[in-house]
């Protein structure tokens, strides 16, 4: 379920064995931002972890954070995977999607120039995520790794139609990952009296940022709303989040919302703004009470007005955080683009230049990790286009999917060992739990709320170096051979042989002249790394 297609079970296996360098390199084949994602990813991998049905899920995100930080401390860099192709690609937008596209294109041998409208690279990672979640030095270091591959980043270069015309004369392809730059309107009287939350978060990155409002209302229930409220709290304000649904319906990460409440942020549920007025001391927000009217297809409550009664909330400032849309229509592909190929995380069209639309412009889920996945998919699509032609792109990328999901693997694309594994997704019932002992998940230290609100310092400490191997060893390594040798030891016919070289499944072979098909080896494999099937045609 990792949007970036990371080889998570193998990463845990290598980390548990003390092979942290190999584990880090395994991450970098699929994701250029391990230290960033180890902090801000919403970790769907942990939600799907089979270990949760046994005791507790593995702390996958914190293992990744440790590996990413360790690599930065050692100044380790990635190496190109293919020789230079001589082709150049212009990437518009230096957010996670654009930087990811540039990274993977550089690994595949393409020259890349990234153009960013803002004064510094990073996009939402820099301007939309507060420093208490993502320290600036971590982001700068991981962007530096991409620059070390030869990628050039030009800031203060907004995307315009004139720029695209110029790019068509200079580059061989284009990746558009501009993000969503236009706030969605509230469509209520007085909305001009409210301020866009993302632009305020951007201003907070200034070293002399300050806030005068002591009581502020934030309209929305996503991560931006929570980040904004927690940032205002650190600046001495008394923020209240106004949300039209219930707390459990908030799209914000659950733990982030919980920490906001711990820090003194108020939450007004089932309240919808209907008007904003200016008063002598600030703003008056008129709120309509809402009530549930069933459940929508996304599992969240559908709400309708609960009668005609309203209430007012007097504050000194109102901020909106209800989403955004593309800054210009031409940044989105139209329905009848020539040669359009719709892929899982991006869309390829044949304009004057082959053009990939990616990031939040095309992703069904708008998250940092999905943006990274979009950049990688775009790089793979352009590489397949140049090497094999447009008719091969969809088929080529479909063959790189991880399991039954939409995530893509660069290692599979490059025909590495991961592509030779079975694609079967191991269910908890297929794990032989007799070989595992219950153990508690390691959790990182978190600063107390009273300390958190006094500073923008990072809230989570991360797991210690002594905790990491044991936590990684809790992973079932579903579907992977870890050389436990049960298959060989339990075989009554001595039909499983151990090779002198290799590791994992490549260090074992079965002598089919002696194998009777009893299946004991499969039964005694703790991780379901073996399968017993009837050969086709027999």
């Amino acid at each position: 379920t990792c949007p970036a297609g990371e080889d998570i079970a193998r990463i845990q296996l290598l980390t548990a064995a003390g092979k942290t360098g190999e584990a880090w390199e395994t991450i970098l084949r699929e994701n250029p931002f391990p230290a960033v994602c180890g902090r801000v990813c919403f970790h769907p991998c942990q939600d799907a972890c089979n270990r949760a049905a046994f005791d507790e899920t593995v702390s996958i995100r914190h293992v990744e954070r440790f590996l990413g930080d360790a690599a930065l401390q050692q100044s380790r860099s990635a190496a190109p995977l293919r020789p230079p192709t001589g082709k150049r690609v212009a990437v518009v937008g230096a957010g996670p999607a654009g930087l990811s596209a540039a990274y993977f294109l550089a690994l595949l041998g393409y020259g890349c120039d990234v153009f960013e409208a803002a004064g510094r690279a990073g996009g939402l990672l820099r301007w939309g995520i507060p420093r208490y979640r993502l320290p600036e030095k971590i982001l700068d270091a991981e962007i530096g790794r991409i620059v070390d591959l030869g990628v050039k980043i030009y800031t203060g270069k907004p995307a315009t139609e004139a720029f695209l015309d110029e790019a068509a004369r200079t580059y061989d392809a284009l990746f558009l990952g501009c993000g969503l730059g236009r706030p969605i309107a509230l469509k209520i009287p007085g909305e001009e009296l409210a301020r866009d939350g993302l632009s305020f978060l951007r201003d907070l990155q200034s070293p002399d940022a300050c806030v005068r409002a002591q009581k502020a209302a934030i309209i929305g229930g996503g991560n931006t709303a929570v980040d904004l409220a927690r940032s205002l709290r650190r600046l001495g304000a008394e923020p209240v989040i106004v949300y039209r649904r219930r707390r459990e319906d908030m799209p914000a990460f659950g733990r982030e919302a919980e920490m906001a409440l711990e820090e003194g942020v108020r939450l007004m549920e089932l309240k919808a703004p209907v008007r904003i007025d200016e008063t002598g001391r600030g703003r008056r927000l008129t709120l309509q009470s809402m009530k549930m009217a069933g459940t929508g297809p996304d599992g969240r409550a559908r709400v309708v007005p609960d009668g005609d009664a309203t209430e007012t909330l007097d504050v000194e400032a109102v901020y909106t955080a209800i989403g955004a849309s593309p800054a210009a229509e031409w940044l989105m592909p139209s329905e009848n683009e020539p040669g359009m190929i719709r892929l899982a995380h991006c869309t390829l069209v044949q304009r004057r230049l082959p053009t990939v639309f990616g990031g939040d412009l095309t992703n069904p889920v708008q998250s940092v990790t999905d943006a990274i996945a979009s950049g990688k998919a775009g790089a793979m699509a352009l590489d397949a286009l140049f090497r094999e032609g447009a008719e091969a792109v969809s088929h080529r990328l479909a063959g790189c999917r991880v399991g039954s999901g939409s995530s893509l693997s660069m290692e599979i694309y490059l025909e590495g060992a991961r592509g030779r594994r079975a694609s079967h997704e191991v269910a908890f019932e297929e794990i032989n739990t007799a070989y595992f002992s219950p153990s508690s998940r390691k959790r990182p230290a978190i600063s107390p709320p009273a300390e958190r609100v006094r500073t923008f310092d990072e809230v989570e400490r991360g797991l210690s170096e002594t905790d990491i191997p044991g936590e990684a060893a809790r992973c079932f390594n579903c579907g992977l051979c870890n050389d436990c040798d049960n298959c060989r030891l339990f075989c009554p016919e001595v039909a499983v042989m151990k090779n002198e070289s290799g590791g994992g499944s490549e260090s074992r072979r079965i002598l089919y002249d002696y194998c009777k098909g009893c299946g004991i080896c499969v039964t005694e494999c703790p991780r379901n790394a073996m399968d017993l099937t009837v050969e086709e045609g027999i």
Side-chain angles (χ1 to χ4, degrees), residues 123-356:
L124 184 70
L125 296 175
R126 186 177 303 280
W127 310 117
I129 299 179
R131 298 287 76 88
Y132 63 81
R133 288 181 59 200
L134 178 58
E136 195 168 37
K137 65 179 181 180
I138 298 295
L139 174 61
D140 289 339
E142 297 217 289
I143 293 176
R145 183 188 297 130
I146 298 172
V147 172
D148 288 344
L149 287 169
V151 173
K152 293 182 173 60
I153 301 176
Y154 299 92
T155 56
K157 297 286 186 179
T160 63
E161 294 185 80
F163 167 81
L164 297 185
D165 288 338
E166 182 182 347
R169 296 189 294 270
T170 312
Y171 297 93
D172 298 288
L174 183 67
F175 179 92
L176 290 175
C178 307
L180 304 176
R182 180 187 299 165
I184 294 176
L186 285 172
K187 297 181 180 179
I188 61 174
E191 67 174 309
E192 69 279 0
L193 299 173
R195 183 174 181 186
D196 171 46
L198 267 179
S199 68
F200 184 75
L201 284 175
R202 177 191 295 262
D203 291 346
L204 286 184
Q205 305 309 316
S206 169
D208 56 353
C210 63
V211 60
R212 292 191 179 92
Q214 289 303 301
K215 190 171 183 181
I218 300 100
I219 300 171
N223 287 310
T224 299
V226 171
D227 285 341
L228 181 57
R230 296 181 69 190
S231 296
L232 286 167
R233 190 76 184 91
R234 283 159 172 74
L235 293 168
E238 300 173 11
V240 53
I241 296 175
V242 178
Y243 186 51
R244 64 194 302 267
R245 292 188 174 94
R246 306 166 302 171
R247 176 184 170 184
E248 56 263 40
D249 301 314
M250 292 174 66
F253 303 159
R255 181 58 183 140
E256 295 295 320
E258 183 180 335
M259 285 196 285
L261 297 177
E262 292 173 355
E263 292 168 3
V265 174
R266 287 178 55 209
L267 172 62
M268 296 182 70
E269 305 172 81
L270 294 168
K271 301 292 182 185
V274 295
R275 184 180 185 88
I276 305 174
D277 292 296
E278 190 168 10
T279 66
R281 300 183 61 183
R283 306 287 185 263
R284 175 164 293 157
L285 194 57
T286 302
L287 304 173
Q288 165 75 61
S289 294
M290 310 297 285
K291 64 179 180 180
M292 282 191 62
T295 304
D298 59 357
R300 296 193 299 164
R302 290 172 47 241
V303 294
V304 296
D306 186 9
D308 297 326
T310 60
E311 61 182 283
T312 59
L313 177 66
D314 287 331
V315 294
E316 292 174 85
V318 177
Y319 301 90
T320 61
I322 61 172
S325 60
E329 289 187 6
W330 58 268
L331 292 174
M332 288 287 288
S334 61
E335 289 299 321
N336 299 312
E337 293 269 7
M340 177 179 284
I341 303 174
R342 293 190 183 275
L343 302 165
H345 291 279
C346 63
T347 299
L348 172 64
V349 300
Q350 299 287 351
R351 293 180 170 177
R352 291 171 61 188
L353 283 179
T355 301
V356 173

Side-chain angles (χ1 to χ4, degrees), residues 364-424:
V365 178
Q366 293 166 3
S367 75
V368 170
T369 318
D370 282 272
I372 291 168
S374 179
K376 178 167 65 174
M380 293 163 68
L382 289 174
D383 185 64
L385 175 71
F386 287 132
R387 292 179 184 275
E388 304 175 46
E391 64 281 354
V393 173
S394 294
H395 176 74
R396 189 78 170 82
L397 267 64
C400 303
R401 289 188 175 182
V402 180
S404 61
S406 61
S407 304
L408 302 177
S409 167
M410 181 60 74
E411 184 180 353
I412 295 176
Y413 179 77
L414 294 175
E415 300 178 347
R418 190 179 183 186
R420 295 192 291 274
R421 290 187 215 152
S423 60
H424 172 67

Side-chain angles (χ1 to χ4, degrees), residues 92-109:
V92 179
L99 291 172
S100 174
Y103 170 81
F104 286 107
L105 284 164
L107 291 182
L108 293 170

